[in-house]
Amino acid sequence: MKLDRRTAMQIVGTGILSMAALLCCIAAWAVDSAPASGPDRPKVTDWMQAWGSISAVFAGLIAAGAAAALLMHERQQAREAREALAAARSGEEEERAQLVFASQIGLSVSSGKIHSARATIFNHRTSPIHWVSGAVELIDGRQIPLLPVEFILPGGHANLRGPAEPLIPSSGDARMDQDLSIAILEFTDSTGQRWKRVDNTRPRRIPHNPYLRVREVVEADQPPATPE
């Protein structure tokens, strides 16, 4: 549970006031129960010593409260700094992911049927990308998976192609079918983070599952499946 500075100060202040009230009650009880005369009557020096002890307790409580408030404030500042740093790093990683994009989408149409699709993937990052896969989504929402490539070097590109199985009927306008199709791209960057881009929109992180990745690479020799 995160507490802001104001709430923390209120809690500390309430604790100090509660302890102060308790000590005042004890002092009042001592005064009321002390004998008015006789050998057991407290001397002035006894009262001075008692009130000095109470003052010392008050001072200790105030010091402890101040130290606790300072500690909580420092922890809050440290947490905010860590969150700001994580957000900055996340933004930088997302900007680098935007340097990978799909272009030159094409369809192979014959006899009123779509036989295959293709797209070119560009990597403008300064590091290679791995397990590059994707699909071409047609105007009606159907997708033609593209055969993956293992990696694309920095500044390089790869032409991904994939057959339509089974063949998909064309709308009758091959140019419209191609112009309104979009590319869905997935890749893994050099840090092991997998990304997904739909029609070159903002990249989205894909949750990392090391066991699933290793199992699929070893058993199927293909990029890890992506949860939808």
Side-chain angles (χ1 to χ4, degrees), residues 94-161:
E94 187 173 300
E95 289 180 0
R96 288 193 290 268
Q98 291 179 355
L99 298 177
V100 179
F101 58 89
S103 183
Q104 302 175 13
I105 300 172
L107 299 175
S108 176
V109 182
S110 177
S111 302
K113 301 285 187 179
I114 299 176
H115 291 252
S116 63
R118 63 185 181 275
T120 303
I121 311 302
F122 293 87
N123 176 24
H124 286 180
R125 296 166 58 101
T126 58
S127 58
I129 57 175
H130 307 274
W131 299 121
V132 185
S133 61
V136 170
E137 185 175 294
L138 306 177
I139 186 175
D140 60 2
R142 285 182 287 186
Q143 296 183 3
I144 301 177
L146 303 176
L147 298 178
V149 296
E150 187 174 351
F151 63 89
I152 302 178
L153 296 175
H157 68 277
N159 298 314
L160 273 62
R161 300 175 181 272

Side-chain angles (χ1 to χ4, degrees), residues 21-55:
L22 177 61
L23 290 175
C24 288
C25 290
I26 294 174
W29 172 80
V31 171
D32 184 66
S33 60
S37 61
D40 295 332
R41 179 185 180 185
K43 299 178 181 179
V44 174
T45 54
D46 294 334
W47 286 114
M48 292 178 63
Q49 184 178 2
W51 283 110
S53 300
I54 293 175
S55 299

Side-chain angles (χ1 to χ4, degrees), residues 63-104:
L70 179 61
L71 177 61
M72 297 182 70
H73 177 62
E74 290 179 348
R75 287 182 175 178
Q76 176 71 18
Q77 286 186 324
R79 181 168 55 248
E80 292 175 354
R82 288 194 299 269
E83 291 175 351
L85 179 60
R89 289 178 176 174
S90 176
E92 292 174 357
E93 292 173 355
E94 187 173 300
E95 289 180 0
R96 288 193 290 268
Q98 291 179 355
L99 298 177
V100 179
F101 58 89
S103 183
Q104 302 175 13

Side-chain angles (χ1 to χ4, degrees), residues 216-227:
E216 292 187 343
V217 169
V218 171
E219 295 182 359
D221 192 23
Q222 62 182 9
T226 301

